[in-house]
């Protein structure tokens, strides 16, 4: 029952910061984790694989009556994302606007609104902001053109000069307000998810195939008790893709080695799954919903506008597998319960900060604790099936810990199904 060795495979979302910044954040949050509970944690420096596509480090965590070693793999895709963000501004804007209107006229935006109005608002926000900045730039260009005509400049020259000024002002505004608005980043994200959904990013598919092979290799060689695939944000649907492709490479993946668990946190599956072209992805969701050799835990938070809450990743895509369904177990997370009130009120409206709380340290002991999931002694499936016992093991005294271990050992092995965890959104039809 106690995990002495765990292997984490972390699938990042659409985040250009990459290994260096993620590792610094992880190390900082690990220190906070060590101060919250009676334990000591040490971490090694990251080591990159020869191909540069993965990096790994090890965490040794010691509690009062347990010790766990965690091997942590960070799957790297920041090179692709940085290439996207290096596009000329005009190309990003034009491409994203065309895609957005295809989403509108294809009905996909309406399905987003039906499934989760907060996320639909968030995905519309950069286009609304782009419209406001374009109006301001147009006003400047119009005033400039009017001034030229007042000076006697021929109309065709003043119109041409005004058009050039409009492009220059809008490009400058977008560039120098990016650190405040994240507009170009969000437009690039829209482009990527559309193209990935329509299989127009072969370089991504090829790398996911290699990540799937990495998972197969780890499962064959690791002595860990459990392998946890963590997919955060867009990494949620990338994690589904990787695991499904790994099962295709090795159908016995979860039967001959460590327990395989998929943990999706802050997920946004519909941005891929609601496209009619994403039939393969929906087939992968269907496969994982009934796969007996893997467990899938999906954690959602209402406060995070960048994930779909409440949303059933299987039924929400119109997938009905009947009584054969066993995945995912859907777990709601309340950030208000894991963060001190004074800090929560400070960042509750900072959407990116809220979104990353899924992978940051708690400020209060709680059953959902990313670093206890990564470093603690309780297997992930049992942690989610008996959350109070997992919390007692982390923060209780010796007597409470002993009783908690006894409760875990007597917990039924079957995980709760999605409908048992709370109300989910109605099924959204597909198209677009």
């Amino acid at each position: 029952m106690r995990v002495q060795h765990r292997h984490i495979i972390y699938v990042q979302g659409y985040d250009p910061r990459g290994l260096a910044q993620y590792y610094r954040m992880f190390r900082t949050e690990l220190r906070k984790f060590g101060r919250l509970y009676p334990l000591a944690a040490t971490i090694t420096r990251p080591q990159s694989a020869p191909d540069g596509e993965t990096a790994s480090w090890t965490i040794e965590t010691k509690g009062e009556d347990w010790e766990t070693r965690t091997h942590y793999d960070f799957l790297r895709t920041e090179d692709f994302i940085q290439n996207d963000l290096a596009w000329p501004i005009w190309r990003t804007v034009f491409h994203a606007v065309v895609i957005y209107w295809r989403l509108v006229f294809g009905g996909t935006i309406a399905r987003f609104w039906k499934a989760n109005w907060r996320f639909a608002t968030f995905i519309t926000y950069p286009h609304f902001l782009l419209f406001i900045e374009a109006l301001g730039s147009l006003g400047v260009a119009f005033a400039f053109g009017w001034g030229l005509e007042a000076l006697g400049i021929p109309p065709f020259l003043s119109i041409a000069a005004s058009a050039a000024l409009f492009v220059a002002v809008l490009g400058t505004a977008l560039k120098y307000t990016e650190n405040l608005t994240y507009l170009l980043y969000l437009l690039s994200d829209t482009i990527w998810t559309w193209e990935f959904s329509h299989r127009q990013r072969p370089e991504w598919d090829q790398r996911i195939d290699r990540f799937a092979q990495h998972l197969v290799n780890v499962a064959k060689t690791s002595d860990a008790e459990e392998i946890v695939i963590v997919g955060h944000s867009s990494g949620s649907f990338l994690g589904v893709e990787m695991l499904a492709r790994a099962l295709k490479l090795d159908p016995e993946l979860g039967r001959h080695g460590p327990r395989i668990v998929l943990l999706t946190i802050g997920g946004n599956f519909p941005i891929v799954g609601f496209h009619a072209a994403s039939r393969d992805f929906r087939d992968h969701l269907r496969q994982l919903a009934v796969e007996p050799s893997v467990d899938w835990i999906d954690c959602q938070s209402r406060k995070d506008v960048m994930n779909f809450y409440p949303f059933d990743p299987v039924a929400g895509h119109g997938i009905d597998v009947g009584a054969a369904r066993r995945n995912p177990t859907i777990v709601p997370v309340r950030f208000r319960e894991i963060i001190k009130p004074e800090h929560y009120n400070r960042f509750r409206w900072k959407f990116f900060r809220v979104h990353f709380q899924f992978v940051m340290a708690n400020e209060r002991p709680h059953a959902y604790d990313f670093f206890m999931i990564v470093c603690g002694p309780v297997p992930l499936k049992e942690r989610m099936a008996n959350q109070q016992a997992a919390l007692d093991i982390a923060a209780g005294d010796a007597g409470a810990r002993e009783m908690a271990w006894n409760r875990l050992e007597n917990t039924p092995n079957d995980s709760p199904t999605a409908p048992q965890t709370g109300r989910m959104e109605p099924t959204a039809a597909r198209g677009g």
Side-chain angles (χ1 to χ4, degrees):
M1 174 66 72
R2 303 192 187 197
V3 176
Q4 295 180 308
H5 181 200
R6 177 183 291 110
H7 198 119
I8 300 288
I9 299 179
Y10 180 83
V11 188
Q12 63 175 328
Y14 194 77
D15 188 345
R17 295 176 299 174
L19 172 63
Q21 286 186 272
Y22 178 82
Y23 176 79
R24 283 196 293 270
M25 182 190 76
F26 186 95
R27 184 178 57 189
T28 299
E29 298 301 311
L30 182 68
R31 292 181 184 133
K32 295 178 183 177
F33 166 69
R35 292 193 292 268
L36 181 62
Y37 299 102
L39 55 81
T42 59
I43 184 172
T44 64
R45 297 289 300 171
Q47 300 292 323
S48 292
D51 60 11
E53 295 183 355
T54 62
S56 304
W57 55 88
T58 300
I59 308 107
E60 299 277 356
T61 312
K62 297 181 180 180
E64 294 187 13
D65 53 7
W66 57 269
E67 180 175 347
T68 302
R69 173 169 55 92
T70 304
H71 189 91
Y72 201 100
D73 289 343
F74 179 83
L75 306 187
R76 305 184 67 176
T77 53
E78 67 265 28
D79 54 331
F80 294 153
I81 303 167
Q82 290 165 3
N83 287 340
D84 291 349
L85 297 180
W87 281 13
I89 290 175
W90 66 266
R91 181 184 177 188
T92 298
V93 170
F94 178 78
H95 201 170
V97 168
V98 169
I99 286 174
Y100 183 78
W101 286 107
R102 291 183 71 175
L103 293 173
V104 171
F105 290 116
T108 306
I109 290 294
R111 285 185 286 278
F112 286 165
W113 278 97
K114 183 179 180 181
N116 186 292
W117 68 267
R118 292 180 180 86
F119 187 86
T121 302
F122 178 77
I123 202 173
T124 301
Y125 149 79
H127 298 274
F128 175 76
L129 190 59
L130 176 63
F131 177 72
I132 296 300
E133 294 198 27
L135 277 182
S137 301
L138 186 63
V140 172
F142 179 81
F144 179 71
W146 181 84
L148 290 179
E149 289 190 16
L151 294 174
I153 303 298
F156 75 93
L157 288 177
S158 64
I159 291 174
S162 298
L165 182 64
F166 168 75
V167 172
V169 170
L170 179 58
T172 300
L174 292 173
K175 179 178 180 180
Y176 289 101
T177 61
E178 176 66 8
N179 289 338
L180 177 65
T181 65
Y182 299 102
L183 190 152
L184 294 173
Y185 163 77
L186 293 172
L187 295 181
S188 294
D189 195 356
T190 298
I191 296 168
W192 168 68
T193 52
W194 167 273
E195 294 185 340
F196 181 81
S197 303
H198 290 76
R199 289 295 180 260
Q200 297 174 9
R201 288 293 182 96
E203 70 279 10
W204 277 86
D205 279 310
Q206 292 162 9
R207 187 162 296 183
I208 293 171
D209 286 340
R210 293 194 290 273
F211 290 158
Q213 185 62 62
H214 173 73
L215 171 58
V216 170
N217 295 340
V218 169
K220 288 180 178 178
T221 60
S222 177
D223 63 350
E225 285 87 11
E226 68 175 3
I227 297 172
V228 180
I229 304 156
V230 179
H232 175 238
S233 189
S234 300
S236 58
F237 58 78
L238 295 176
V240 165
E241 284 289 293
M242 183 181 75
L243 178 54
R245 297 182 196 191
L247 284 166
K248 185 176 181 180
L249 293 171
D250 180 5
E252 301 298 313
L253 179 70
R255 296 179 174 89
H256 57 60
R259 174 188 289 182
I260 305 292
V261 186
L262 173 64
L263 172 65
T264 51
I265 46 182
N268 41 32
F269 303 98
I271 62 174
V272 170
F274 277 11
H275 296 286
S278 297
R279 288 182 293 272
D280 288 347
F281 177 69
R282 292 190 294 274
D283 286 343
H284 292 159
L285 290 175
R286 182 187 302 275
Q287 175 189 4
L288 295 185
V290 300
E291 175 57 51
S293 67
V294 301
D295 296 303
W296 175 9
I297 310 293
D298 182 55
C299 294
Q300 309 175 3
S301 175
R302 180 181 181 182
K303 189 59 184 176
D304 180 13
V305 300
M306 297 172 69
N307 87 222
F308 274 74
Y309 173 95
F311 184 78
D312 185 328
V314 174
H317 285 88
I319 300 169
D320 183 3
V321 293
R325 177 173 172 174
R326 64 180 311 276
N327 283 316
T329 298
I330 302 174
V331 179
V333 177
R334 296 194 68 194
F335 291 149
R336 185 185 295 274
E337 297 176 352
I338 67 179
I339 298 297
K340 294 177 180 178
E342 61 271 23
H343 295 162
Y344 178 82
N345 292 330
R346 189 182 305 161
F347 73 74
R348 61 184 299 186
W349 300 112
K350 298 178 180 179
F351 300 136
F352 283 97
R353 172 62 181 82
V354 171
H355 190 51
F356 271 87
Q357 184 57 53
F358 278 110
V359 294
M360 299 176 73
N362 287 15
E363 294 181 350
R364 293 172 163 180
H366 194 271
Y368 180 84
D369 187 315
F370 178 71
F371 281 85
M372 195 59 80
I373 290 171
V374 169
C375 302
V378 181
L380 179 53
K381 180 180 179 180
E382 284 73 14
R383 166 176 291 278
M384 294 307 177
N386 197 329
Q387 297 186 20
Q388 185 57 52
L391 181 58
D392 289 343
I393 289 169
D397 57 24
R401 291 198 300 273
E402 182 178 357
M403 292 177 62
W405 279 117
N406 289 335
R407 292 203 303 275
L408 283 180
E409 290 170 357
N410 294 319
T411 297
N413 196 38
D414 292 335
S415 297
T417 56
Q420 292 176 287
T421 63
R423 182 182 64 85
M424 294 291 106
E425 284 292 321
T427 297
R430 295 186 301 274

